Amino acid sequence: MSLICAITNEVPDIAVVSPFSGAIFEKRIIEKYITENGCDPINGKEMKIEDLIEVKTPPIVKPKPPSATSIPATLKTMQDEWDALMLHSFTQRQQLQTTRQELSHALYQHDAACRVIARLNKEVAAAREALATLKPQAGIGASIASTTIPQPAIAAEAGGIATQPVEQTGMSTDVIQKLQDKATVLTQERKKRGRTVPEELVAQDQIKTFLTVASHPGLHSASIPGILALDINSADHSKILTGGNDKNATVFNKDTEQVVAILKGHTKKITNVIYHPDEDTVITASPDTTIRVWNVPTSQTQLLLRCHDGTVTGLSLHPTGDYVLSTSSDKHWAFSDIRTGRLLTKVIDTAEVGLTTAQFHPDGLIFGTGTDDSQVKIWDLKEQSNVANFPGHTGPISAISFSENGYYLATAADDACVKLWDLRKLKNFKTIQLDDGYEVKDLCFDQSGTYLAIAGTDVRVYLSKQWQDLKIFNDHTALATGVRFGKHARYIASTSMDRTLKLYAVE
């Protein structure tokens, strides 16, 4: 808004305002008027030059005089503008071309660097694999030789997968005695524990209040989503082990929310994982027909077992912590020593059908396997014989789990139900019928045998003996693949094809 002098009606160069009339004046003119008359020209009140108040205004920019006053001058102006526009456009095209060349060169360098890094990573992995399975050279001391991979594992790695990849050494008397001694101790301990429920165990009312307290989506690759297996370290319940579709196993600390180790070596997805209860060691199995024993602090393979010709479908650690049971689509189950790498025995299923899952009984003298033809089979480890069969399911058996009390066995298949078996009477005493189309991928009793968890279309927790459902978790956006209880059921962990590890507890 422009200010207008009350005397000249023009925009003043230096504007002042009269405190008596409030009018705007040109400073030099009103000063001259006051000197001559001594009053305000508007209302005639007496006023001095010192009474004037100067108004701060931005400087006035006067318009340029018109230059294009004729058609030729206008055309010249337009021609000059056009020339300037064309020159600017030409300069921009030059800069664009230069930028494209620089970007193309940078992308080429980036692609070349990625290829080199990928090749180096592959070479490093191959070198580590070779180092892990390297046969000790002659002349190296026994102390060094004792730290290398056991010879049967080396032979299996070097010779590839054969019909009988590792020679069976047999179940020696010492091994059988060791199994028997451990079973005797465990049976006595279980009977003592079975009389009372642990005081620290979370009550069923608290289970009903469990909520999702954490969700971790970054443990495995996003490009190949899916976590397929889960286990918890029974000695340190903050450490959780997962196996993924991305061929890696991950050790995660739920308390610090940090990845402890990423175990790389399998050439196909990891479908079974076990965290050793007494050592910082994990065991993994894969459709690449191998079983690997890992050292977590170094993230390296300690032992490579090739016990099968087909996909390894089941994995269970013996209570001694020294032996592992495995099943495969090659119709065999195998019992191996994870200390020496020796295959102790390998037995074909009596019906010659593919095996789908396996788990040891808490005492370790018997174990259960699932088959492709809907059978649940109980085996005597010492005799290596099939001692009982549980028919009744439809479709391949997807999961089995023994209760810690030693009497119950929970099984699931592709028939939307979970069956409970009494091992004393060898019969099915309860069937939990689920919704039509419900898929069960994993079963797990807690350490006390009080609760049973089911993972599949959702995650459910049941109270044993009454077999009533306590809680259903629907937070996963895809099929749940694994479920485990934390110590004294203080929390529950589950994994899913949606690539997340979720933890449930009292908020």
Side-chain angles (χ1 to χ4, degrees):
M1 180 177 68
S2 300
L3 302 177
I4 304 298
C5 177
I7 298 176
T8 64
N9 283 331
E10 294 180 354
V11 178
D13 291 333
I14 302 174
V16 294
V17 63
S18 169
F20 301 106
S21 64
I24 302 294
F25 301 99
E26 172 66 58
K27 184 177 181 181
R28 59 183 177 79
I29 294 177
I30 191 61
E31 286 180 349
K32 184 176 180 180
Y33 183 90
I34 293 172
T35 302
E36 294 176 355
N37 301 290
C39 65
D40 188 312
I42 301 301
N43 55 21
K45 290 186 178 181
E46 184 179 353
M47 185 172 63
K48 298 179 181 179
I49 295 176
E50 291 80 7
D51 295 332
L52 296 172
I53 301 171
E54 187 171 340
V55 179
K56 299 296 181 180
T57 60
I60 299 172
V61 179
K62 296 181 179 180
K64 293 182 179 180
S67 58
T69 56
S70 64
I71 292 177
T74 302
L75 292 176
K76 183 178 184 305
T77 301
M78 294 175 65
Q79 184 65 49
D80 291 343
E81 291 292 336
W82 174 260
D83 292 344
L85 180 61
M86 291 299 100
L87 182 60
H88 181 67
S89 177
F90 175 74
T91 304
Q92 280 191 323
R93 286 199 301 269
Q94 281 187 319
Q95 291 175 346
L96 176 61
Q97 184 64 23
T98 303
T99 303
R100 280 178 173 173
Q101 290 178 346
E102 291 175 351
L103 179 59
S104 176
H105 183 65
L107 289 175
Y108 176 79
Q109 287 184 319
H110 179 267
D111 182 65
C114 288
R115 291 175 182 272
V116 171
I117 291 171
R119 179 174 56 81
L120 291 176
N121 283 336
K122 188 175 181 180
E123 291 177 357
V124 168
R128 286 176 174 172
E129 183 77 12
L131 182 61
T133 57
L134 185 63
K135 182 176 180 179
Q137 299 294 326
I140 298 179
S143 61
I144 299 177
S146 64
T147 64
T148 58
I149 303 299
Q151 297 304 313
I154 300 168
E157 179 70 7
I161 304 173
T163 303
Q164 187 67 23
V166 180
E167 183 181 356
Q168 299 183 45
T169 59
M171 299 277 285
S172 67
T173 305
D174 292 341
V175 171
I176 293 176
Q177 187 60 47
K178 185 176 180 180
L179 301 179
Q180 185 62 60
D181 293 343
K182 185 65 175 179
T184 302
V185 172
L186 291 174
T187 301
Q188 294 173 349
E189 291 178 352
R190 189 179 70 247
K191 287 181 179 179
K192 291 179 182 178
R193 291 196 306 268
R195 294 171 187 155
T196 57
V197 176
E199 295 181 1
E200 303 88 348
L201 185 69
V202 171
Q204 55 180 293
D205 291 339
Q206 288 181 285
I207 295 284
K208 293 178 180 179
T209 65
F210 272 20
L211 299 172
T212 304
V213 295
S215 181
H216 303 286
L219 304 185
H220 290 271
S221 171
S223 59
I224 312 176
I227 302 178
L228 306 177
L230 168 69
D231 199 18
I232 296 176
N233 187 339
S234 58
D236 181 359
H237 282 250
S238 65
K239 290 183 179 179
I240 300 175
L241 172 65
T242 60
N245 236 343
D246 59 357
K247 309 173 188 177
N248 298 335
T250 300
V251 179
F252 177 73
N253 189 310
K254 75 173 184 68
D255 293 341
T256 63
E257 296 190 345
Q258 297 293 321
V259 173
V260 177
I262 297 179
L263 311 176
K264 300 182 178 181
H266 282 292
T267 58
K268 293 185 179 180
K269 61 187 178 182
I270 296 177
T271 53
N272 299 91
V273 296
I274 296 174
Y275 213 125
H276 199 287
D278 305 316
E279 304 167 14
D280 210 0
T281 299
V282 302
I283 307 170
T284 60
S286 166
D288 64 8
T289 74
T290 65
I291 299 168
R292 289 176 180 263
V293 181
W294 306 82
N295 178 272
V296 173
T298 63
S299 300
Q300 297 299 313
T301 301
Q302 285 183 322
L303 192 68
L304 179 65
L305 298 174
R306 292 186 182 271
C307 306
H308 297 283
D309 300 333
T311 298
V312 182
T313 57
L315 205 61
S316 184
L317 185 67
H318 191 271
T320 59
D322 297 329
Y323 309 101
V324 67
L325 169 71
S326 57
T327 55
S328 169
S329 60
D330 67 4
K331 307 174 185 178
H332 289 78
W333 61 263
F335 186 65
S336 307
D337 189 328
I338 64 171
R339 307 300 181 189
T340 64
R342 293 188 177 91
L343 172 62
L344 300 182
T345 186
K346 182 177 179 181
V347 177
I348 191 169
D349 182 86
T350 51
E352 296 191 12
V353 294
L355 303 181
T356 58
T357 185
Q359 190 182 41
F360 272 115
H361 183 272
D363 291 344
L365 290 183
I366 62 172
F367 62 89
T369 63
T371 68
D372 282 330
D373 65 350
S374 313
Q375 294 279 328
V376 177
K377 299 190 174 184
I378 306 299
W379 299 78
D380 184 306
L381 180 58
K382 294 190 297 182
E383 300 297 330
Q384 304 166 46
S385 60
N386 178 206
V387 295
N389 293 330
F390 295 147
H393 278 293
T394 302
I397 303 300
S398 57
I400 64 174
S401 179
F402 285 97
S403 172
E404 180 60 26
N405 66 14
Y407 303 139
Y408 298 150
L409 171 65
T411 62
D414 296 343
D415 52 8
C417 71
V418 173
K419 291 183 179 292
L420 283 305
W421 308 86
D422 190 321
L423 298 177
R424 295 164 295 184
K425 300 178 181 179
L426 300 179
K427 69 175 186 178
N428 170 224
F429 67 90
K430 177 69 177 179
T431 297
I432 301 174
Q433 189 61 51
L434 304 169
D435 303 331
D436 289 342
Y438 192 102
E439 294 185 59
V440 181
K441 291 298 180 183
D442 195 20
L443 298 169
C444 178
F445 283 96
D446 76 295
Q447 185 61 28
S448 68
T450 305
Y451 304 116
L452 171 67
I454 300 173
T457 304
D458 52 33
V459 178
R460 303 187 178 198
V461 182
Y462 286 82
L463 179 64
S464 298
K465 296 184 180 179
Q466 286 81 15
W467 309 111
Q468 66 185 54
D469 58 313
L470 299 178
K471 187 70 176 180
I472 298 177
F473 303 99
N474 292 302
D475 295 350
H476 283 297
T477 58
L479 197 66
T481 56
V483 63
R484 290 292 184 274
F485 287 94
K487 188 175 183 180
H488 301 308
R490 288 174 185 155
Y491 76 92
I492 300 171
S494 68
T495 53
S496 167
M497 291 302 293
D498 65 8
R499 200 170 62 90
T500 62
L501 164 68
K502 292 187 183 291
L503 303 176
Y504 313 97
V506 176
E507 192 172 21

